[in-house]
Amino acid sequence: MKILITGSNGQLGRELVNQLESINQSIKQVKYDILPTTRDDLDISNQANVDSFITYNKPDVIINCAAYTKVDACEDNIETSYKINSLGARNLAIASKKVNAKLVHISTDYVFNGISKYPYKEDNKTEPNSVYGKSKLMGEKFVEQFSHKYFILRTAWLYGDGNNFVKTMIKFSKQNKEVNVVDDQFGSPTSTVDLAKVIINIMETENYGVYHATCEGECSWYDFAKKIFELKNIDIKVNPIKSKDFKSKTQRPQYSVLDNFMLKLIGLNSFRRWEESIEEYLKKYDIMI
Ligand SMILES: NC(=O)c1ccc[n+]([C@@H]2O[C@H](COP(=O)([O-])OP(=O)(O)OC[C@H]3O[C@@H](n4cnc5c(N)ncnc54)[C@H](OP(=O)(O)O)[C@@H]3O)[C@@H](O)[C@H]2O)c1
């Protein structure tokens, strides 16, 4: 099975390549013919580039891990956000249909407005507040419109091999004795390890559709920071603050917990609790941080 991965230098892309290679190694054969691509080989916002690359390589599955993920920068760079997050997804969707490939597209909790009191299910109303969320939602719509065999997986609070909240907190703790973290935004920290596993399992099936894909359980950014410092035995004072006191260009969802309802229905919800996944991550990446 030929698997094309876009954005393979990003957090999720790297983990997917690792897991697919490990599967090949463990069964001592090339079950997955992996084609990792970066922006240099395949710029998803360039339709001609996407079309020629995909029609030439004819993958069986395309996993789109490429995105413009800097949410604050999206507010200033609206065109870039839409070019990558919306048109990029459209370009891949059109090309995937031409070669009859399945398309796994990754989306976000930011498609919701965050005012719910209950975890969002897949059919809840989308209403993004930010440029990032709006551009990602348009990407989802293009995928639904132009791909005939798609999986859209909405994830959140992702961490893996790359820049993320966990590394920011640990780096910050090296030079500071206290840190302010918001305690009124809730979500589910999600490990790329858990997400990549679900992607690999679902892409083998024909359970096409929209899925919520986050680790189980929920917490605030404050709770998450406390947990990271506790697990790393870092002595730092964590001060809870409110979102209104945290300067940000982006209106972030207050409550963006996602219910993996559809994954549970098809029996593929292998996500662990967020506390378990972060513990494993901090052990694994001890040297790198
Ligand atoms: N990180 C989170 O907390 C989070 C939360 C919810 C959903 N998600 C979604 O999860 C997915 C994976 O996120 P991630 O954290 O792995 O992102 P990431 O680490 O920022 O990686 C994104 C990758 O996309 C590449 N890219 C950007 N524009 C491109 C283009 N035009 N063509 C090809 N590649 C391009 C980037 O390359 P450069 O380095 O060259 O820019 C980068 O390697 C994304 O769809 C994201 O929207 C992430």
Side-chain angles (χ1 to χ4, degrees):
M1 188 186 272
K2 196 174 201 178
I3 316 285
L4 168 64
I5 300 173
T6 67
S8 66
N9 259 345
Q11 299 194 91
L12 180 61
R14 281 172 193 232
E15 181 58 32
L16 269 164
V17 173
N18 286 343
Q19 288 195 21
L20 291 167
E21 278 173 352
S22 298
I23 293 170
N24 284 344
Q25 278 160 15
S26 70
I27 57 172
K28 295 191 174 67
Q29 52 174 287
V30 185
K31 176 178 184 191
Y32 298 118
D33 178 6
I34 312 159
L35 193 51
T37 62
T38 65
R39 191 202 292 261
D40 293 339
D41 326 301
L42 179 58
D43 176 353
I44 64 162
S45 67
N46 180 330
Q47 189 175 24
N49 186 197
V50 170
D51 190 65
S52 61
F53 195 96
I54 289 176
T55 49
Y56 178 77
N57 285 291
K58 295 194 176 40
D60 300 297
V61 181
I62 299 166
I63 309 178
N64 181 25
C65 301
Y68 190 39
T69 57
K70 298 185 178 83
V71 292
D72 285 337
C74 285
E75 297 296 318
D76 292 329
N77 303 294
I78 297 173
E79 284 193 9
T80 307
S81 311
Y82 279 85
K83 270 186 187 156
I84 299 172
N85 295 337
S86 314
L87 296 186
R90 182 204 62 178
N91 297 340
L92 292 168
I94 293 171
S96 71
K97 193 169 184 180
K98 274 192 189 170
V99 299
N100 196 27
K102 294 178 181 177
L103 174 61
V104 182
H105 176 69
I106 311 302
S107 193
T108 171
D109 54 329
Y110 275 63
V111 298
F112 295 112
N113 61 16
I115 59 171
S116 175
K117 300 256 181 298
Y118 307 99
Y120 286 97
K121 285 197 170 70
E122 289 80 354
D123 61 345
N124 285 155
K125 188 178 158 227
T126 50
E127 193 179 8
N129 296 319
S130 60
V131 171
Y132 172 69
K134 287 176 187 167
S135 64
K136 290 291 289 184
L137 180 61
M138 192 180 275
E140 284 191 9
K141 295 208 162 131
F142 279 137
V143 169
E144 289 170 350
Q145 197 176 345
F146 294 117
S147 164
H148 61 318
K149 300 198 291 192
Y150 65 84
F151 309 91
I152 293 172
L153 270 66
R154 293 182 185 138
T155 194
W157 296 30
L158 199 60
Y159 58 87
D161 184 2
N163 291 324
N164 54 59
F165 179 80
V166 188
K167 288 189 183 171
T168 304
M169 283 296 114
I170 293 174
K171 234 186 248 171
F172 191 83
S173 74
K174 291 190 171 146
Q175 276 142 19
N176 297 276
K177 293 250 170 301
E178 51 187 287
V179 58
N180 298 336
V181 186
V182 294
D183 73 346
D184 58 354
Q185 281 175 30
F186 298 86
S188 308
T190 298
S191 166
T192 53
V193 173
D194 292 52
L195 180 56
K197 188 176 169 195
V198 167
I199 291 172
I200 293 169
N201 286 333
I202 205 169
M203 76 180 187
E204 295 276 3
T205 76
E206 297 199 326
N207 285 295
Y208 304 120
V210 179
Y211 292 88
H212 286 177
T214 54
C215 276
E216 292 294 316
E218 60 183 84
C219 65
S220 68
W221 287 113
Y222 169 79
D223 299 326
F224 190 28
K226 293 272 283 183
K227 188 75 185 171
I228 294 162
F229 295 134
E230 177 199 310
L231 288 167
K232 293 289 289 179
N233 281 320
I234 294 172
D235 187 19
I236 183 169
K237 189 164 178 265
V238 188
N239 304 314
I241 60 161
K242 299 297 167 204
S243 307
K244 65 176 175 43
D245 300 319
F246 178 76
K247 271 198 194 135
S248 168
K249 283 182 189 248
T250 314
Q251 195 190 332
R252 289 158 200 274
Q254 290 289 121
Y255 183 88
S256 66
V257 179
L258 306 181
D259 180 352
N260 299 347
F261 183 69
M262 290 295 292
L263 281 178
K264 287 174 203 157
L265 281 188
I266 62 165
L268 287 183
N269 184 36
S270 56
F271 281 99
R272 296 167 292 177
R273 284 213 41 111
W274 70 267
E275 297 94 327
E276 194 184 334
S277 299
I278 186 64
E279 189 169 354
E280 179 195 76
Y281 173 82
L282 289 173
K283 278 183 192 149
K284 189 169 161 195
Y285 286 100
D286 204 28
I287 311 152
M288 288 171 41
I289 292 175

